[in-house]
Amino acid sequence: MLKIKNLEKIFYRGTPNENIAINKIDLTVNEGDFITIVGSNGAGKSTLLNSIAGVFPVENGTIILDNEDITKKTEYKCAQKIGRVFQNPLAGTSPEMTIEENLSLAISKSNNLSLKWGLSKHKREIMRKHLEKIDLGLEKRLTTKVKLLSGGQRQALTLLMATVANPRLLLLDEHTAALDPATAIKIKNLTAELVNENNITTLMITHNMEDAIKMGNRLIMMDGGKIIYDIPAAEKADLTIEKLLKMFEIKHGGKFNNDRMLLSV
Ligand SMILES: Nc1ncnc2c1ncn2[C@@H]1O[C@H](COP(=O)(O)OP(=O)(O)O)[C@@H](O)[C@H]1O
Ligand SMILES: [Mg+2]
């Protein structure tokens, strides 16, 4: 459903600081894939997701989503089909709006009802049902401003908003990295639940090797702007952190250099 061919992203091209962040990547994602992405610092993981989401133009290559060439589409256009959650819990929601206003916008987006503000009783009922699922008591706080929520609550709401919008593709960039360990576990469980329930094709960057192995049906390892391993479900089942680190060292020719990742091993 997603086909990336010969993708190249170069920052500061033609200057002494030229940086090939994505080096001719090919990637085919199948409907329903839940791919975890790991890699060293600066491997190009975030740049890959940003390229797919239309954040910046790419130098070369094509990105096809559902048979449509989205390579040159803007971030705003891509957002109609692509849901995203970032590391920063403050990034995905509007602080001055209430929980129901935020969620209502996300639901409207899924129905192509651009900014439909009507908060009918029926709509509130639907929102309550969605919020009950995340089990943080937010269904009783529909009119609370989002700025009053904790980081974990905001991240849960962001994730819910990204999934109720029925995206064709969900991009998660270390979305639990800024949360305390207990909250991170909750959000990870919620992620697995929402993705599986709605069968959303998902790419999830994580610095946690164990999560990368446990979650999803496919694991991609990146280094130096390239995909160095693409491990299918059958092989993933036998992976261990030690094996994964060894595999990295074989291709990279040196030790793994993601401090945060190693700290969470
Ligand atoms: N917006 C940007 N402007 C300039 N350089 C960038 C930008 N985003 C990423 N880079 C550079 O591209 C490379 C890959 O970065 P990134 O994709 O963020 O790595 P990762 O997410 O794997 O840690 C790094 O060298 C980084 O400094
Ligand atoms: Mg990154």
Side-chain angles (χ1 to χ4, degrees):
M1 55 94 65
L2 177 72
K3 220 177 182 81
I4 297 175
K5 277 239 161 302
N6 199 34
L7 188 71
E8 207 174 3
K9 176 64 200 173
I10 305 172
F11 290 110
Y12 312 117
R13 192 179 202 175
T15 76
N17 293 327
E18 182 164 296
N19 183 354
I20 304 176
I22 298 291
N23 193 351
K24 303 196 175 83
I25 280 184
D26 291 325
L27 173 66
T28 299
V29 176
N30 306 308
E31 187 82 51
D33 265 352
F34 181 171
I35 302 180
T36 57
I37 303 177
V38 296
S40 45
N41 296 329
K45 305 181 295 296
S46 297
T47 304
L48 176 61
L49 297 203
N50 285 333
S51 303
I52 296 169
V55 174
F56 34 54
V58 296
E59 271 57 42
N60 265 309
T62 51
I63 304 167
I64 310 285
L65 179 62
D66 287 336
N67 298 317
E68 183 189 5
D69 189 338
I70 61 163
T71 318
K72 292 199 166 77
K73 277 201 165 183
T74 60
E75 186 173 9
Y76 176 77
K77 272 274 170 204
C78 287
Q80 289 170 351
K81 286 190 154 194
I82 300 175
R84 306 177 75 192
V85 185
F86 303 92
Q87 187 172 333
N88 181 357
L90 306 184
T93 43
S94 300
E96 293 296 338
M97 298 204 307
T98 63
I99 291 177
E100 65 178 8
E101 286 167 345
N102 270 280
L103 198 51
S104 168
L105 276 179
I107 294 172
S108 299
K109 189 173 130 188
S110 74
N111 301 326
N112 274 330
L113 301 172
S114 66
L115 299 195
K116 187 161 178 273
W117 282 92
L119 285 167
S120 62
K121 206 169 155 197
H122 175 64
K123 203 165 177 186
R124 283 212 168 89
E125 236 7 85
I126 294 175
M127 289 197 281
R128 272 201 199 94
K129 288 235 157 61
H130 281 307
L131 288 165
E132 269 167 21
K133 242 185 302 178
I134 62 179
D135 203 20
L136 293 171
L138 298 184
E139 66 279 5
K140 297 185 206 95
R141 303 176 63 190
L142 284 181
T143 55
T144 299
K145 280 196 178 174
V146 163
K147 67 178 177 190
L148 298 174
L149 303 182
S150 70
Q153 288 171 329
R154 266 179 95 156
Q155 204 63 329
L157 182 60
T158 306
L159 196 59
L160 186 62
M161 286 166 63
T163 52
V164 295
N166 252 330
R168 289 292 294 139
L169 192 62
L170 179 64
L171 305 178
L172 308 171
D173 193 345
E174 306 206 25
H175 70 305
T176 61
L179 306 174
D180 65 82
T183 312
I185 289 173
K186 270 195 189 172
I187 300 293
K188 282 176 215 167
N189 292 338
L190 181 65
T191 305
E193 240 171 72
L194 291 172
V195 166
N196 292 333
E197 222 168 75
N198 301 294
N199 197 29
I200 304 172
T201 307
T202 301
L203 304 183
M204 181 182 91
I205 299 174
T206 174
H207 64 277
N208 187 312
M209 295 260 206
E210 202 182 316
D211 292 342
I213 292 171
K214 269 194 327 216
M215 297 175 75
N217 69 321
R218 188 171 157 192
L219 185 152
I220 280 177
M221 185 180 261
M222 290 183 66
D223 186 42
K226 287 186 177 297
I227 290 173
I228 56 171
Y229 291 101
D230 185 347
I231 304 166
E235 283 172 48
K236 193 165 169 286
D238 295 328
L239 265 185
T240 61
I241 294 173
E242 292 70 28
K243 274 191 204 169
L244 208 49
L245 286 172
K246 194 102 228 120
M247 286 166 70
F248 176 85
E249 284 162 19
I250 291 169
K251 288 262 180 174
H252 181 76
K255 290 272 180 222
F256 202 71
N257 72 342
N258 192 329
D259 304 340
R260 273 205 296 139
M261 195 168 241
L262 291 175
L263 284 173
S264 64
V265 164

